C-alpha cells in the first residue's frame, strides 16, 4: 500500500469516527509532505479524542513510512492547501461558508444532484467533486469521488465504488 492509499484509508475511517468534521488531503511535492487539513477548528484544537487520534495516526504513519512526512493542519494554519487531492465530509459536518446545499431531488430509488457540487453527503452517498451537469444515481450505496472540472471544461473520470 502506498503512503497516499494508506492516508486515504485512514481518513475514510476517521470521518466515520468524527462525523462533524471535514478532512482534506494534499501531497506537496515541493516539500515532500502529506498534508491533512481537519475542520472545524474546535475539533482540531480542543477535542481530546481527535488529538489522540492525530498522535496515533502520526505514529502509525511514520512507523510504516519512515522516509515520508505528514503534517496535520486546520484552516487557520499559516500554510494552506493549494491543490486538494482528496476531500471527505462527515455526515454531520456543518460549514459556516455554505448557506445551503446544492439542489437535490431524492425519489424512492433515484437521487439527482444539480449545480456545481463542492461536497455533500446524502444518506450513505458522498459526492465530493465539482460537476457541471446532472448526476443521477440509482443505487443508494454508491460513493462518487473525483476532481474538479478543469479550466478547459473537461471532466476527469469519476470513480464509482460500492
Amino acid at each position: 500500500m502506498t503512503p497516499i492509499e494508506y492516508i486515504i484509508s485512514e481518513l475514510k475511517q476517521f470521518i466515520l469516527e468524527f462525523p462533524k468534521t471535514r478532512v482534506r488531503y494534499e501531497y506537496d511535492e515541493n516539500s515532500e509532505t502529506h498534508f491533512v487539513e481537519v475542520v472545524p477548528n474546535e475539533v482540531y484544537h480542543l477535542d481530546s479524542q481527535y488529538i489522540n487520534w492525530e498522535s496515533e495516526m502520526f505514529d502509525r504513519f511514520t512507523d510504516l513510512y519512515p522516509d515520508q512526512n505528514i503534517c496535520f493542519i486546520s484552516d487557520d494554519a499559516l500554510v494552506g492547501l493549494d491543490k486538494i487531492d482528496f476531500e471527505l465530509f462527515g455526515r454531520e459536518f456543518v460549514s459556516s461558508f455554505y448557506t445551503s446545499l446544492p439542489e437535490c431531488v431524492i425519489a424512492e430509488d433515484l437521487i439527482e444532484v444539480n449545480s456545481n457540487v463542492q461536497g455533500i453527503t446524502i444518506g450513505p452517498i458522498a459526492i465530493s467533486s465539482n460537476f457541471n451537469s446532472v448526476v443521477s444515481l440509482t443505487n443508494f450505496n454508491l460513493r462518487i469521488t473525483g476532481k474538479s472540472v478543469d479550466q478547459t471544461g473537461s471532466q476527469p473520470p469519476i470513480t464509482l465504488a460500492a
Side-chain angles (χ1 to χ4, degrees):
M1 179 179 290
T2 68
I4 294 171
E5 292 170 335
Y6 178 77
I7 291 169
I8 289 173
S9 172
E10 287 287 321
L11 293 179
K12 286 179 179 179
Q13 289 302 310
F14 168 85
I15 209 72
L16 297 174
E17 291 179 46
F18 298 89
K20 294 182 179 183
T21 62
R22 179 196 74 201
V23 290
R24 300 191 305 176
Y25 165 78
E26 174 181 302
Y27 179 70
D28 184 330
E29 293 179 18
N30 293 330
S31 67
E32 296 181 344
T33 303
H34 301 270
F35 285 96
V36 176
E37 180 190 72
V38 178
V39 294
N41 288 319
E42 294 78 21
V43 171
Y44 178 81
H45 292 291
L46 303 173
D47 187 304
S48 60
Q49 184 181 1
Y50 165 75
I51 293 167
N52 288 334
W53 178 89
E54 179 186 309
S55 177
E56 292 170 3
M57 167 62 176
F58 180 87
D59 292 343
R60 286 191 308 269
F61 182 79
T62 56
D63 286 347
L64 289 169
Y65 307 99
D67 61 333
Q68 300 285 313
N69 300 307
I70 189 166
C71 179
F72 294 88
I73 63 172
S74 193
D75 61 351
D76 62 350
L78 295 176
V79 296
L81 304 182
D82 293 327
K83 56 168 193 64
I84 299 163
D85 297 313
F86 185 76
E87 182 173 25
L88 283 175
F89 292 79
R91 70 182 180 280
E92 298 174 28
F93 176 72
V94 177
S95 172
S96 59
F97 299 108
Y98 295 114
T99 56
S100 64
L101 294 174
E103 179 184 338
C104 299
V105 178
I106 303 175
E108 185 175 322
D109 61 352
L110 173 69
I111 296 178
E112 275 186 14
V113 179
N114 296 292
S115 180
N116 291 332
V117 175
Q118 179 56 39
I120 182 174
T121 300
I122 308 168
I125 298 174
I127 301 172
S128 55
S129 186
N130 288 335
F131 298 98
N132 284 333
S133 60
V134 174
V135 177
S136 297
L137 308 175
T138 56
N139 181 343
F140 285 110
N141 293 317
L142 290 177
R143 177 176 301 271
I144 299 178
T145 59
K147 297 221 182 239
S148 300
V149 175
D150 65 25
Q151 292 179 353
T152 65
S154 65
Q155 183 174 328
I158 299 170
T159 304
L160 299 177

